[in-house]
Amino acid sequence: MDTRPAGLVLARTPRLFGIEPFYMELLGGIEGALAEVDRAVMLQVVPDSAAEIATYRRWAADRAVAAVVVVNLVADDPRIGLLRELGLPAAALAPASVRLPVARVTVDGASAMREAVRELVALGHRRIARVSGPRALVHTRERDEAFAQACAEAGVDHVVAVADYTEEAGAEAAAELLVRDPRPTAVVFDNDVMAVAGARVAKERGLDVPGDVSVLAWDDSALCRLASPPLSAMSFDVDALGRLVGAVVLELLEHGEAADRAAVEHRFLARGSTGPAPA
């Protein structure tokens, strides 16, 4: 019986992987699903996309994994074609709008971003900023487009600062946004690490959160709950997402193909970092 693990390669700095909760929760969910049939996940953290490609080639040559999970898609992602060429079954975590020749678990980030904007507009905010992840990522572009469209439809001013999910980049982007004139009254951050850093920068500049500026994080985590004030978040069950990915992998291995699955949508979770726009 083939009990080889599923493989997951993350092209990220090890330091960021250690502090960002999303991937640990995702990995836990995948492992939870695979453990039911005595499979595991082989995780490889690499510095860049070239090292990720090299890892897939090595895994295929060594028959080290039975299937691969692909995350952080880019436009015309070369990994998809390579994995098919190598004969490695693949399951991809993808925006709902992206069609792929491999099995997908889809996340509707566009609807979630529109919901985030609606919630902030309902609180009276008319100048909303967003601190995004890297623009090369398909899900970043999806959220960017939804953010711009939702703000335009609501008739509110909007601006985007690009960052890379790290604390330092989140702080730098927040500092850039908070000196604008007029200043945004609400900022949506693309992950929890940057949101915590952004709230800290606001307070260091003498601004009250949420009295002067509201802060909204993408994906809830212990970081959000332990922040002061606790951060509002677009909440999402990442463990359940991982279990869906694991289920797709198991179906691939059993039947050679798998049906796409859709993750449960994000929901706005109000805590102490969001409130009415300042007068």
Side-chain angles (χ1 to χ4, degrees):
M1 179 179 177
D2 183 356
T3 59
R4 288 176 296 160
L8 172 61
V9 184
L10 293 178
R12 307 177 78 71
T13 63
R15 185 181 65 83
L16 180 57
F17 176 70
I19 64 173
E20 189 176 34
F22 177 87
Y23 287 105
M24 293 303 297
E25 293 181 27
L26 179 70
L27 182 63
I30 298 172
E31 288 187 324
L34 298 187
E36 295 178 5
V37 294
D38 294 323
R39 285 192 188 269
V41 180
M42 180 183 294
L43 172 67
Q44 184 79 46
V45 180
V46 298
D48 53 37
S49 57
E52 182 174 355
I53 295 295
T55 300
Y56 294 140
R57 292 189 182 279
R58 185 178 70 254
W59 281 352
D62 296 342
R63 299 192 73 254
V65 298
V68 169
V69 175
V70 181
V71 298
N72 290 329
L73 290 174
V74 298
D76 300 318
D77 200 305
R79 295 173 295 175
I80 303 301
L82 173 68
L83 292 169
R84 288 169 65 84
E85 175 189 318
L86 295 173
L88 282 173
L93 190 58
S97 59
V98 175
R99 301 298 174 190
L100 295 171
V102 298
R104 303 176 305 156
V105 175
T106 62
V107 178
D108 191 352
S111 293
M113 182 58 73
R114 288 191 287 269
E115 175 64 16
V117 172
R118 280 195 296 270
E119 293 288 349
L120 294 172
V121 169
L123 288 169
H125 293 281
R126 294 296 178 267
R127 296 189 303 277
I128 304 175
R130 161 170 154 74
V131 177
S132 80
R135 280 259 165 85
L137 299 178
V138 174
H139 69 256
T140 297
R141 297 183 187 183
E142 179 188 59
R143 294 178 198 175
D144 279 346
E145 291 171 5
F147 176 70
Q149 181 181 24
C151 288
E153 291 173 353
V156 301
D157 294 334
H158 62 281
V159 62
V160 177
V162 181
D164 65 1
Y165 298 129
T166 64
E167 176 185 354
E168 294 82 4
E172 182 178 339
E176 171 191 325
L177 292 169
L178 295 176
V179 296
R180 292 177 65 92
D181 186 17
R183 184 177 65 235
T185 62
V187 185
V188 183
F189 289 84
D190 242 10
N191 76 345
D192 45 4
V193 173
M194 295 195 298
V196 170
R200 185 195 70 227
V201 167
K203 288 187 283 187
E204 289 173 351
R205 292 174 176 269
L207 299 175
D208 180 70
V209 177
D212 297 309
V213 60
S214 287
V215 171
L216 179 60
W218 203 267
D219 294 334
D220 192 21
S221 71
L223 286 178
C224 295
R225 296 188 290 273
L226 295 173
S228 180
L231 299 186
S232 298
M234 294 306 296
S235 182
F236 187 68
D237 191 337
V238 181
D239 179 80
L241 175 64
R243 287 184 174 274
L244 282 179
V245 173
V248 168
V249 168
L250 292 177
E251 188 174 334
L252 273 174
L253 295 178
E254 184 174 354
H255 301 292
E257 60 183 11
D260 290 347
R261 288 164 171 78
V264 175
E265 293 186 3
H266 290 73
R267 64 184 181 89
F268 178 78
L269 180 59
R271 293 198 181 99
S273 69
T274 51

